[in-house]
Structure formats: structure tokens, C-alpha cells
Amino acid sequence: MLDPKIRDDFPILSLEVNGKPLVYFDNAATSQKPQAVIDKLVEYYETSNANIHRGIHYLSEKATEGYEESKKKVARFINAKSYKEIIYTRNATESINLVAYTLGLSSLSKGDLVISTEMEHHSNIIPWQIIKKHKKIDVEFVPVRDDYTLDIDEYKKLLQRKPKLVTFVHASNVLGTINPAKEITRLAHKAGAFVLIDGAQSVPHMKIDVEDIDCDFLAFSSHKMCGPTGIGVLYGKQEILEELDPFMGGGDMINHVTYEESTWNKLPWKFEAGTPNIADAVAFGATVDYLEKIGMRDIEKHERELVSYALDKMKKVKGLEIFGQDDRVESRGGMVAFTLKYAHPHDVAQLLDEEGIAVRSGHHCAQPLHEKFKKSTTSRASFYLYNTKEEVDKMIAALDRVVELFHS
Amino acid sequence: MDLYKKEILDHYKNPRNFGKIKTEAKSTHGENPSCGDSINMDIVFKQGRIENIKFSGDGCAIAIAAASMLTEKVKGMKIVDVADIGFQDIQKLLGVEVSHSRKNCAILALNVLRKMVLQELKQQK
Ligand SMILES: Cc1ncc(COP(=O)(O)O)c(C=O)c1O
């Protein structure tokens, strides 16, 4: 386990909620921010604020440097070849949409196949439904088996239909399943497909190496990894990005403009129209520094130990059913979705909130997955580097009280 | 635990007027897609009144308790009076203040009921 002193880095963790110390277990929705990141944001506005790429004055250069430095850090963080492969968006959702609206609109045509999976977040379902409408493509979903893993045999069968794109969630935000990204990618490439990975729940929690996985695109969000809201990342292989048309048009993404037509800027700027979210990007650079200082492997180990501890205890709560893998801690992310036999997820979340414990109830933007397993909603506790076993104990005690209240 | 007073839990665990009406009742369904609460309501209207009412469905304690209490209240009432019932009345029935985030739970049954009552009023005209 990580040193609990880490908690002192996060000012919000000393809050009291409903007269109780905050226990923040909603990290899959968004994470809390360390002081270093908050300070960086303030420092940027106090000492560096200017628009980038368009000025030759001192501040503009300083802001540009901070923005580009941030991309270099992110490139190193996921082992991309260069910052040219790092595009900033608003969030993982926009990153996925960027691929849909560029590659999807320009390279897919009627009858082409896109393979996705049954465990996707809505953000990796809806964009493809939109492209399906525009381009009359087919979208197929790799089934989730009863053990909450992907049915790789079915996937291989689908690959025989020569898909143009395979897109999948690396770590499920509900089941905790971590999919074998490298193997899925290898098989997809063999079948001649591009590969887009939704890394929203994996990049914050484990060491990701895009060269090793060999995916063509990877989407993730700063706000789920201790960084500010408003910054998302799309990693793309340079040679593929070079070939794609731009996403949005406007300032900064162009090279030469006439009234009739224009040429595009170099990577990665070709994909970033208009003034970007400079301040948050700079603070995101500081976020990467922070995570690297602690170490992604240690964060992963910490969460694995915590989730295994939580699973053991949760299984003993009367009438509690886990939605997701409960025995494969070795390939599992740090979150647990669950239902209680006697209480509705909404009531569970509300009663835990009264004890200062933040969990989420709902379908977690994975409604089709819930419906497949005949669940309307679930509660979800999701952990991060600053959570402790003592906090898990508090949640277990609170759950026991919920059971008592509803069962008696 | 204010929201989870004994009365509310009692109505949740033993909802009144729960089930279906087999005769020529009218039936309508309503749901809160974001939380998965869903309620079905069967009503027999007779001579401008609600002669019989039952509900079924699945939801949180607030949604179910509110539905249970509401059906108790309106059984036998004149339709025109039922049309006047609002969120405030539901809060009164529940006996607690319902926070913004739970308002949709509390008024799910009322929404279904209002839909049916307004339709009935229209048909009478
Ligand atoms: C697996 C997964 N993909 C995508 C997203 C979308 O992230 P964002 O809302 O930051 O775009 C989320 C966040 O909830 C997620 O959990």
C-alpha cells in the first residue's frame, strides 16, 4: 500500500461531509486534485497567461512553452514517439468523437464493419451510432461472457468479416474487467483494422505503453487522473494522423488560408482549432509529473490490494451481489459495482452520503451492459491512490447499517 | 437518516395498493430513465371519482413509498381534486423535505397519476 501521507497532497480530502470525514469513492467518475496541480493552475494565470502560437512577446512564448511542455510530458508518460502524436481535446469522449468524425466520416463507407464490445461506456457507443447513420456502416459488439470477460472466440469470428476499425474499452468502468489490449490489438491488425482504445479507466490507474500495445489511437481524460477538467487526450500514430483530414476548422489548425481553400498545419496542431485550454493543459503537465513521482506501478499495486480487500469484505455483507469479477484480482481495476438485495442503489448512495461516503448509483453510462445482465442500476465504489483500507471498513460498516435498516 | 423514517420504510417494504387490477382498469407506465425507477398504474374511474387504484413497479424507497402513500390518498377522491395535487403534497405525505436530487423519485407516481387523470378529464368533456 502507498503511504497514507499522500492524502495530505489533496486538500479536499480533509473536508467533512454531513459532519463526517469525507470518504471519496467516486474516482471512476472523476478524481480529486493534488495541491501541486491546483498551484500550477493558479501560477499559470498569475505568471504566464497569454494566447499561444500567435505572439512573439514574452508571455505568449512562456504560455506556448508551457503548453508544448505538457504534451511532451504526456507523450513520455504513455511512451508515444513524439508530442506530435498527442492531441488535446476536452475529454475522452471528444477524443473518441474526433476519431469518429475524421476516420469514420472519411474512411468508412457503406457496409464497412466497426467492431466494438458490449462493455463500452456510452461515449464509445453513440459516436459510432452517429457514423452508422451517416455512412450506413455496420457496428457489431463483441459479447461479454458470464464471467465478465470478452468472448475472444466470437471476436475472432467477427474479425473474419474484415472490419475497418476495432474499438474497445481497456478497463471497464463498471465490471472492473481489464481487457487484454495487446492481444485484441494484434488480432485486429492482422485482420487489417485500425484500433482505437478507450483508456479513460486504464491510463489513470496503470502504466500504459502505446508502443507495446501498438494501438493506433488511445483516448483518455485528465480529470480522472488527478488532473484538471477540460483536458482530454487523443494519442494517434503519427503516420495515421498525417493522412487524416482535420476535425474542426478555424484558427491555429491551418497553414495557408485563401477564400477558396486552405492547407493544414503540422501535427498535432492540425487537430486543434481555436484557442485551446491552455491553463488546464499546463496544469495537466504538472499532473503527469505528480503521478510519475509516485509511480504508476505502485499506484496499480495499491489499488489492487485495496480492491481485493474490499471484495473480500463486501462479499460478506448480507444480500450484497457484486456486478463484475470478484475473484480475478490480478486482472481487475480498482472499482466494485454492486447491488443490495434489500435496498435500491439510489437509497444506498443516499445513506452512504449521510455518513460522508461518496459512491455513485445509476447505470454509469453503460446502460446496454446493465440491461444485458438484467440490472436497472447499480452502486459503484471506485478507488484511487489516496484511498485506504480504513475507508473501506467505514463503507462496509455503513453498508451493514443499510442492510439492517431495510431488512429488519 | 431523516429521509428513511419508519413510515417511509414501512410503505417501501409493504407498499399499499400494490399489484394490478384485472377488470376494465386503465393503465399507464412511467419511468425515470436515469435511475431505472419504473411504475405502472391501474385505475378504475367511476362517476368522476377514482374508484380503485393499484400500482406496481420497481424503484427506490422514496419512489415506492410516495406511490404507496399517494394511492392511499387518492382512492375514492374526485378526479378534479386529484388534478390539483402537486410536489408539495407529496412532501407532506412523505413527511420529509425531499432534496433536489431525489425530487424525480418522489414525483414519479404523481406524474403517472396526473397523466391518467388529465386524460380522463379530457375524455369527459
Ligand atoms: C470507460 C470510460 N470511457 C469514457 C469515459 C468518458 O470520459 P469523459 O466523460 O471524461 O469524456 C468514461 C468516464 O466516465 C469512462 O469511464
Side-chain angles (χ1 to χ4, degrees), chain A residues 28 91-93 121 123 169 171 173 198 200-201 221 223-224:
Chain A
N91 47 39
T93 302
H121 186 276
S123 60
V169 69
N173 66 319
D198 172 359
Q201 298 294 350
S221 284
H223 71 92
K224 292 188 199 283

Side-chain angles (χ1 to χ4, degrees), chain A residues 39-97:
Chain A
D39 286 349
K40 195 71 186 176
L41 206 51
V42 174
E43 181 198 289
Y44 169 80
Y45 280 122
E46 285 179 350
T47 68
S48 319
N49 180 52
N51 211 330
I52 58 168
H53 291 159
R54 298 170 203 179
I56 40 171
H57 58 79
Y58 167 79
L59 280 181
S60 177
E61 279 184 8
K62 203 168 168 199
T64 305
E65 212 174 278
Y67 189 74
E68 295 186 354
E69 191 56 38
S70 160
K71 290 206 174 194
K72 287 178 186 156
K73 286 176 180 173
V74 172
R76 196 185 56 224
F77 185 66
I78 60 169
N79 197 27
K81 285 202 183 70
S82 127
Y83 76 98
K84 292 179 189 160
E85 301 186 313
I86 305 298
I87 300 161
Y88 279 168
T89 60
R90 283 184 307 131
N91 47 39
T93 302
E94 188 173 307
S95 299
I96 294 169
N97 275 273

Side-chain angles (χ1 to χ4, degrees), chain A residues 347 350 354 377 405-406 408, chain B residues 1 4 13 35 37 59 61 102:
Chain A
D347 297 318
Q350 177 117 33
E354 285 177 13
T377 55
L405 190 66
F406 276 82
S408 56
Chain B
M1 301 253 169
Y4 297 91
K13 292 176 194 169
C35 57
D37 291 350
R102 300 303 293 274

Side-chain angles (χ1 to χ4, degrees), chain A residues 213-229:
Chain A
I213 296 174
D214 196 33
C215 54
D216 302 303
F217 303 98
L218 173 74
F220 56 100
S221 284
S222 147
H223 71 92
K224 292 188 199 283
M225 51 193 285
C226 298
T229 53

Side-chain angles (χ1 to χ4, degrees), chain A residues 344-351 361 379, chain B residues 4 35 37 60 101-102 105:
Chain A
H344 188 277
H346 237 139
D347 297 318
V348 173
Q350 177 117 33
L351 283 161
S361 280
S379 304
Chain B
Y4 297 91
C35 57
D37 291 350
C60 63
S101 62
R102 300 303 293 274
C105 314

